[in-house]
Amino acid sequence: MNILLLGSGGRESALARVIAKSSLTENFFISPGNPGMEQYGKCIELKGFENMGNFCMQNRIDMLVVGPEQPLVDGISDFFAGTKGLKNIVVIGPNKTAAQLEGSKDFSKQFMQRHDIPTARYQTFNAKTVEQGKKFLQTLNPPYVLKADGLAAGKGVVIAQNLDQAKKELEEMLLDAKFGQASSQVVIEEYLNGIECSVFVLTDGKNYVLLPEAKDYKRAGEGDTGLNTGGMGSISPVKFCTEEFLNKVKTRIIDRTIQGLQKENIHYQGFIFFGLMNVEGNPYVIEYNVRMGDPESESVFARFDSDIVKAFSLIKEQRLNEYQIKISPQTAATVMLCSGGYPQEYEKGKVINGLDSTEDAIVYHAGTKNENGKTVTAGGRVIAVTCLSDGLQAALDKCYRNIGKISFDNKYFRKDIGKDLL
Ligand SMILES: Nc1ncnc2c1ncn2[C@@H]1O[C@H](COP(=O)(O)OP(=O)(O)O)[C@@H](O)[C@H]1O
Ligand SMILES: [Mg+2]
């Protein structure tokens, strides 16, 4: 199989690693990739769907694996399905209609409501209905959850502590375009008090394979304080995701989602990420993502002991039910090394040392580039280190030991990943 993977972050590094391991993989290309991904495949930069399509034809690509959400929401899957010469390429990632599960929070809430999928009570408002929005806020208890409807790079959700603040936020989002076009509609929802986790499936639209669950750590500061980030670390498995809880997730959430899509004639192939809140043992959907998570993928795929390309190849004929997934019983822990200052201002171009000195660790690049023969920092989240061991404590110990071996100016990381679950 010839494969093209799109993306350049930690998530795509984790995907690239398992794709490269498959005996079915022949030529493997990554666009744009990063220096750490060169060990897995050939990194090339392709801009725009046309270029990607032409490249796929020239290189007889069989499979396109889409890492991030933006190209999916922009319709890359539809472009391939509708273009002569590209139709037969299996795209791992949903079409534009299905991608609205992530691309529009209002769409996803309506979908959940139609199919009786547990989620927080909500209403959606626009610039013309700001006053109704304020009235709806008055019916809720604090804190208040306001979500920009569209894609906002993980920054479009505001949790306001009191009513005045919530009303002000609502006005800023709807009337001052706080998040641009993304906040032309705002979902206001009830606050769910619980503990979050993420569950992932790979689906062919009919069958699905359940991947290991994970917990990620999104806030920049210790003890889940400070600003939201793209993710500071993750662990898998998650001890409160018991068999009983996961069974509820399957019957109340995953099955209803897949069946709901089928009922609405929305074809979905690819990964679905269920962002969940565990409220006293019962799962509620916080959001859907139409791709894998980052940095959850780093931990999830570290435990993945089967052939991912085999699974991808069964998708086209909707034969994923034949797939046997094998998951390592070990615990994976991932800690993200960041540039000091992230998620606010930070410097780039710092030389990274010690990348080859780690032991029994997977070192994924997230924001690096090559400069004068050296690997330097090129983003806020720079390197993800993932370790596997028996139990969470051992996995974390190994991970933090390895992190000490990698250095760059102003390196920052959270020291408490996974600690809440020890
Ligand atoms: N109804 C809710 N109750 C409590 N917390 C919520 C709720 N909705 C979202 N959150 C919090 O806000 C975060 C971001 O919301 P989410 O819907 O995942 O948006 P996005 O990932 O697109 O920014 C969640 O991870 C969760 O911590
Ligand atoms: Mg989220």
Side-chain angles (χ1 to χ4, degrees), residues 217 221-224 396 400 413-420:
Y217 295 80
E222 313 273 312
D224 284 327
L396 289 167
Y400 281 107
F413 59 94
R414 264 181 68 171
K415 297 179 184 66
D416 65 341
I417 301 300
K419 280 221 175 105
D420 54 327

Side-chain angles (χ1 to χ4, degrees), residues 105 196 218 273 275 286-287 289:
K105 300 245 185 234
E196 284 183 78
K218 280 264 177 277
F273 167 135
I286 290 282
E287 65 161 346
N289 290 328

Side-chain angles (χ1 to χ4, degrees), residues 367-385:
T368 69
K369 66 174 186 185
N370 281 330
E371 211 172 71
N372 307 323
K374 293 199 169 116
T375 308
V376 303
T377 66
R381 298 188 308 149
V382 179
I383 298 279
V385 176

Side-chain angles (χ1 to χ4, degrees), residues 125-137 167-168 170-175 188:
F125 301 93
N126 59 38
K128 292 199 181 108
T129 56
V130 181
E131 292 310 314
Q132 283 102 306
K134 292 183 188 166
K135 289 212 179 82
F136 181 62
L137 282 169
K167 288 180 178 171
K168 191 165 158 270
L170 183 68
E171 284 187 352
E172 283 175 15
M173 286 165 92
L174 289 175
L175 304 177
I188 299 179

Side-chain angles (χ1 to χ4, degrees), residues 234-265:
S234 67
I235 56 142
S236 173
V238 181
K239 74 173 175 195
F240 63 80
C241 291
T242 58
E243 201 181 316
E244 192 194 347
F245 179 77
L246 286 175
N247 278 332
K248 289 179 188 169
V249 174
K250 281 185 214 163
T251 53
R252 298 177 191 174
I253 293 172
I254 303 175
D255 291 347
R256 290 180 197 176
T257 300
I258 307 273
Q259 283 157 16
L261 288 164
Q262 281 184 306
K263 275 187 210 150
E264 297 190 16
N265 280 319

